Amino acid sequence: VIFQDADKKLSNTTKHHPTMAETAAEAANADSWKENPEPEASSSVQFAQDPDTVEKGELEKRRFHQSFIRGGDKFEAEEDADGKRHHATPEDGYPLRETNLKLPFGGPTSRLVFNPFVSLFGLAFLWGLSIYCMAAPSEAQATLNGWFNDTIQYFTWFFISANPILTFFVIWLAFRYGHIKLGPKDEEPEFSDVSYFAMIFSSGVGVGLFFFGVSEPLWHQSSNYFTEAGYHSQNEIDQWALIITMYHWGFAAWSCYLTVALAAGLATYKFGLPMTIRATFYPIIGDYCWGWIGDLIDGFSIVMTVAGVCTSLGLGVIQIVSGLQRLGWIDPSKTSQEDLKNQYVAVIWIITLLATISVVSGLKVGIKTLSNVAFGLGTLILFLCFVMDKTYYLLNLLVQTTGMYLQWSIFQIAFWTDAFGSLNAGEGRAVDGNSAATWWIGAWTVFYLAWWVAWACFVGMFIARISRCRTLRTMIVSVLVIPTLYALFFMVFMGGIGLRQQRQALEMQVLGEEQFGNSSHYVNEEIGYCYNVPQEDVVSTTGDVVFTNSLPGVTPVCEFNSADSSMAWFNVMYSFSYPDGKFAGFGPFLSGFTIFTLALYFITSSDSGSLVVDILASNGRTEHHWIQRVFWAFTEGAVATALLVAGGSKALNALQAASIVFGLPFNLFLFVMCLSIVRMCRAIDKSDNLDEPHPDTLLPARAWEMPIFGGIFNIAEYVVSLGQVHTSRKEKGMDLPTKPQLFEFFKGLVFPFISLRQIYSSGIVDPKHQNAR
């Protein structure tokens, strides 16, 4: 491994072959178009035109902040209704693997263009894992949950510490480089601020807030380090339950998404690199990201995206069906998943078909419209519950929780690993019994942090796609601060209602016991853990008023049933159902309204996921043939259906556990992206062309002649390319290891002490040695 000065190396080179980045920059800065004939595409694997084989002056000049469609004998730039050109893969500048398949219908522009290795790797890995989960769901769940438990046991410290570091990083970035704009300074953003936030929120956490908005604070009334301390009151425990919930859904969720979005957005809209995960690694590994390493990164990202969307879709459908049973639209007597398979499949494919229509209609039509509608309806439900419950109590709780969140969730909870509470008996567990359950930190906090990382590729890429012509500061405020504020309102209002109603249910038990000698006196006949609230004053035998209802019409109120936590939300909705009150029949309406809104949120998550996967599979193109979009949308529905039918929730949970385990290496990717972001921002600040800085400015002035991922590992490029390595990669020595590299590799493998002595005696370690090269 030889360290050389790149400038000196170039000066001694008789013939300079431009790098892929140089070629891209030359074309990106071109002021004119040259329409050269393009050879007829075939269904075989093809590469972009090799810039090194093109004579100087004959290089096609094209802007790479534009989208191209193969039409006839030339490329044509696609424009939207506003006349703006959009970025797509600069296929003439980067040697990416690509299959261009001309369809027998639809005219000359009817083509499927995709990366064969990335697509096949993603599909094979995804379906292989899914088939394992379907064929042996119990075994798969046990195995993958074992991996998940091992991940938690050994890497809790990493997940816990990584998240606040990412949060502090993006906050620092907002102050240091917030002025940088993702696109030309004279262009406006593609989407309005409202639509922009609606799409961000819908793709990121929209569904989760509905299912956990009521139930999670109720879950946190027990088993955690605060509730089990042994000296806190009920009021303190309930408040802390909201604080823990807000930590999980606040900055912790959005910092992961934002890291990917910033890295991909800078690489694409400032440097003209393809809109892919691999492009975010260009400042680190240079041209190697266009080869097999980049293919693995994008293929792995596809697996994480589809697996995350599928598991959420499948598990969400189970909860939607539960809500439909509560409404009586599905037979409530069916309690097993086997009896409800047909209903599950029907709901999955209704959502999938609608998501397909949305993604085919395009980002500016289907996805944007559905996101706006879903966000508006969700906000309406939140507002209705806010005004129908005890409003001033909720406002007090909002102010109180905001202060507590700012005080505790930024540092203390963010770094809390529950080190003592996770000790088992015999390992030093607290003998006074006042300790959290050993499983709690892994099942909740670490699970959330790993799940956000698993979704970071999908949500982050989608945010990058819609963030063109926005400054980094605007992105950070829109993706980190505003969603956290909205989640604060949502969790405090819905969680506060759930907590208040459970406390009132406990009051009904005490009232029944004291006045009638029966704690079940007010129990609801339909649901055994819910209680009817008296609508009139309750007078004792002595004539004293022992209960006054200040919220007439809000009944029944329910305790939390951990065995059926998905019903917690619908229990709150049904509390506005008193037949003779001012909310008569409103509970069923709100429940149906919730199910409709949830379906829209699922549709927006599915279509956004399909869009991102299609972008990754097509080397970063943002415009695709509708068949490709349909394929990936149907793939998500098919995987979710197969898992649910064959293995039920066990198979889905197994795939979810696998996604979270895969999130561990992706967490390392996030830190690499942080380094890339800093390098890109510094290069932009130093560049004379702030709109389109040269991509080569991202590469270090001094670099290893043979990087650690080169040499012997170049065999992978030869294998993945099926022996047809791109010409430019051959000229750069990226196709096969050389004889000296092979010799040194096996010498180091068999006789490592010889290689180590050579390194320690070289000028790299000790400049005094004269044999340094």
Side-chain angles (χ1 to χ4, degrees):
V1 182
I2 304 173
F3 196 84
Q4 296 188 2
D5 188 296
D7 294 334
K8 181 178 179 181
K9 179 181 176 182
L10 289 177
S11 65
N12 295 330
T13 303
T14 58
K15 181 180 179 180
H16 169 57
H17 293 283
T19 65
M20 294 78 156
E22 288 175 327
T23 304
E26 181 177 349
N29 293 325
D31 294 323
S32 62
W33 292 76
K34 183 174 182 179
E35 299 178 352
N36 289 340
E38 184 74 3
E40 183 69 21
S42 66
S43 60
S44 61
V45 176
Q46 298 181 351
F47 292 98
Q49 182 181 0
D50 177 18
D52 292 337
T53 63
V54 181
E55 294 297 330
K56 186 176 181 181
E58 293 299 318
L59 180 66
E60 292 182 322
K61 297 179 180 180
R62 297 182 176 90
R63 295 183 183 275
F64 292 138
H65 283 85
Q66 298 160 354
S67 178
F68 296 90
I69 298 178
R70 291 183 181 267
D73 295 330
K74 64 182 180 180
F75 283 105
E76 296 177 357
E78 184 182 26
E79 297 182 354
D80 61 14
D82 300 326
K84 294 181 180 178
R85 299 177 185 270
H86 297 286
H87 172 85
T89 303
E91 56 264 37
D92 294 310
Y94 303 98
L96 298 165
R97 260 171 283 277
E98 183 175 280
T99 291
N100 192 315
L101 180 64
K102 187 178 185 303
L103 298 176
F105 54 86
T109 61
S110 184
R111 297 173 183 268
L112 303 182
V113 183
F114 57 93
N115 186 311
F117 181 83
V118 170
S119 301
L120 293 177
F121 173 82
L123 288 171
F125 198 109
L126 177 68
W127 278 106
L129 183 61
S130 300
I131 290 172
Y132 173 52
C133 295
M134 291 184 286
S138 297
E139 178 186 344
Q141 186 181 32
T143 301
L144 295 174
N145 280 342
W147 293 0
F148 174 66
N149 292 333
D150 289 342
T151 301
I152 291 174
Q153 180 177 354
Y154 296 112
F155 295 102
T156 289
W157 62 272
F158 177 65
F159 280 109
I160 294 291
S161 60
N163 192 273
I165 291 174
L166 292 175
T167 301
F168 298 147
F169 170 75
V170 295
I171 293 174
W172 169 80
L173 203 68
F175 287 98
R176 178 62 181 85
Y177 295 108
H179 61 281
I180 295 176
K181 185 176 182 179
L182 301 182
K185 61 182 179 180
D186 57 344
E187 288 192 22
E188 296 295 323
E190 293 184 65
F191 304 97
S192 67
D193 292 341
V194 174
S195 295
Y196 180 63
F197 176 71
M199 286 190 285
I200 290 173
F201 190 80
S202 297
S203 66
V205 299
V207 173
L209 290 185
F210 276 84
F211 288 121
F212 291 101
V214 174
S215 63
E216 185 170 343
L218 295 172
W219 274 108
H220 295 327
Q221 289 182 310
S222 63
S223 301
N224 63 72
Y225 49 88
F226 191 87
T227 61
E228 302 302 318
Y231 57 84
H232 293 298
S233 67
Q234 182 183 358
N235 292 344
E236 291 175 310
I237 289 173
D238 289 349
Q239 179 61 72
W240 201 257
L242 280 174
I243 297 303
I244 294 175
T245 301
M246 263 310 303
Y247 167 66
H248 292 158
W249 292 87
F251 293 149
W254 294 98
S255 57
C256 303
Y257 299 165
L258 190 54
T259 302
V260 178
L262 291 168
L266 285 167
T268 299
Y269 295 125
K270 295 303 291 184
F271 293 92
L273 302 179
M275 183 173 280
T276 56
I277 296 296
R278 74 169 80 198
T280 65
F281 286 73
Y282 180 76
I284 310 299
I285 63 177
D287 291 337
Y288 277 90
C289 72
W290 312 127
W292 68 273
I293 298 176
D295 289 342
L296 289 179
I297 291 172
D298 283 348
F300 183 68
S301 300
I302 286 178
V303 173
M304 291 186 61
T305 298
V306 178
V309 172
C310 287
T311 52
S312 295
L313 178 61
L315 295 172
V317 162
I318 294 175
Q319 294 174 311
I320 287 178
V321 170
S322 297
L324 294 174
Q325 285 184 295
R326 179 66 182 271
L327 287 171
W329 297 357
I330 294 178
D331 187 359
S333 64
K334 294 182 178 182
T335 56
S336 69
Q337 292 186 359
E338 186 70 28
D339 295 335
L340 293 168
K341 279 185 178 179
N342 291 336
Q343 287 79 6
Y344 292 154
V345 172
V347 174
I348 286 176
W349 281 102
I350 288 173
I351 292 175
T352 299
L353 289 174
L354 292 175
T356 302
I357 295 173
S358 173
V359 76
V360 168
S361 65
L363 179 62
K364 292 189 175 182
V365 179
I367 297 177
K368 173 183 144 182
T369 302
L370 286 179
S371 297
N372 286 333
V373 173
F375 178 73
L377 294 180
T379 303
L380 178 60
I381 293 174
L382 179 65
F383 174 76
L384 290 174
C385 293
F386 168 69
V387 296
M388 289 189 294
D389 204 87
K390 204 170 187 66
T391 303
Y392 67 82
Y393 148 76
L394 294 175
L395 290 173
N396 289 338
L397 188 60
L398 175 65
V399 174
Q400 180 172 297
T401 304
T402 300
M404 293 284 289
Y405 176 75
L406 295 175
Q407 180 180 0
W408 298 105
S409 294
I410 306 300
F411 288 100
Q412 178 170 317
I413 299 179
F415 288 94
W416 187 268
T417 61
D418 205 17
F420 295 113
S422 59
L423 291 173
N424 294 306
E427 298 175 340
R429 188 161 179 81
V431 295
D432 60 3
N434 296 327
S435 184
T438 56
W439 52 264
W440 187 90
I441 194 72
W444 281 105
T445 299
V446 178
F447 170 84
Y448 267 124
L449 298 181
W451 189 235
W452 299 140
V453 172
W455 267 56
C457 172
F458 150 47
V459 181
M461 283 291 294
F462 180 74
I463 293 172
R465 171 62 187 89
I466 64 176
S467 297
R468 184 175 182 273
C469 293
R470 292 185 181 273
T471 64
L472 299 191
R473 186 174 293 112
T474 300
M475 279 185 66
I476 293 170
V477 171
S478 301
V479 180
L480 184 70
V481 178
I482 297 178
T484 298
L485 289 175
Y486 188 85
L488 181 67
F489 277 87
F490 206 101
M491 288 299 184
V492 167
F493 288 170
M494 300 310 304
I497 291 173
L499 290 169
R500 188 200 65 77
Q501 291 190 2
Q502 190 207 34
R503 293 163 66 105
Q504 194 174 24
L506 296 177
E507 279 189 297
M508 293 301 100
Q509 294 180 32
V510 173
L511 184 64
E513 179 67 31
E514 291 179 349
Q515 299 302 316
F516 304 98
N518 181 9
S519 61
S520 300
H521 179 79
Y522 292 106
V523 73
N524 185 272
E525 295 180 358
E526 296 182 4
I527 306 177
Y529 56 87
C530 295
Y531 294 82
N532 298 317
V533 180
Q535 298 301 296
E536 298 179 353
D537 291 348
V538 176
V539 181
S540 66
T541 56
T542 61
D544 297 326
V545 176
V546 294
F547 177 82
T548 299
N549 189 348
S550 60
L551 288 173
V554 182
T555 185
V557 293
C558 303
E559 289 186 282
F560 179 56
N561 180 16
S562 59
D564 194 13
S565 61
S566 62
M567 294 301 296
W569 176 279
F570 295 104
N571 289 337
V572 169
M573 298 299 105
Y574 258 83
S575 67
F576 307 110
S577 300
Y578 188 65
D580 298 328
K582 57 184 177 181
F583 304 133
F586 207 62
F589 167 75
L590 278 180
S591 297
F593 201 33
T594 294
I595 292 173
F596 177 72
T597 305
L598 278 174
L600 290 181
Y601 271 124
F602 272 120
I603 292 169
T604 57
S605 294
S606 179
D607 58 17
S608 302
S610 301
L611 179 68
V612 168
V613 171
D614 203 5
I615 290 174
L616 292 173
S618 61
N619 289 333
R621 285 174 175 78
T622 56
E623 300 296 333
H624 321 89
H625 196 281
W626 64 267
I627 290 180
Q628 293 177 234
R629 299 186 180 189
V630 170
F631 172 78
W632 288 111
F634 273 40
T635 296
E636 292 173 1
V639 171
T641 301
L643 288 170
L644 202 53
V645 171
S649 60
K650 288 184 178 180
L652 288 169
N653 287 325
L655 185 60
Q656 185 181 42
S659 301
I660 294 170
V661 172
F662 298 155
L664 179 62
F666 202 83
N667 221 329
L668 296 175
F669 288 2
L670 294 180
F671 284 101
V672 176
M673 290 180 189
C674 289
L675 179 58
S676 295
I677 291 170
V678 173
R679 288 189 178 181
M680 286 188 278
C681 289
R682 287 176 178 174
I684 293 169
D685 269 358
K686 294 178 181 179
S687 175
D688 295 331
N689 185 358
L690 296 180
D691 286 344
E692 293 180 353
H694 200 296
D696 271 1
T697 59
L698 298 175
L699 301 178
R702 293 168 59 85
W704 294 101
E705 186 176 87
M706 191 200 78
I708 193 172
F709 35 78
I712 192 69
F713 296 109
N714 286 336
I715 295 176
E717 181 64 30
Y718 187 85
V719 173
V720 171
S721 301
L722 302 179
Q724 303 298 315
V725 182
H726 193 270
T727 306
S728 66
R729 304 191 72 77
K730 289 182 179 180
E731 295 182 355
K732 293 176 175 61
M734 298 180 181
D735 56 333
L736 283 172
T738 62
K739 290 181 180 180
Q741 289 171 347
L742 285 173
F743 175 76
E744 291 295 334
F745 173 79
F746 286 107
K747 184 182 73 173
L749 187 66
V750 180
F751 305 107
F753 50 88
I754 297 178
S755 298
L756 288 173
R757 184 181 183 281
Q758 289 178 326
I759 294 173
Y760 286 132
S761 61
S762 70
I764 297 175
V765 177
D766 188 357
K768 295 180 181 179
H769 289 278
Q770 298 299 318
N771 64 336
R773 292 187 299 166

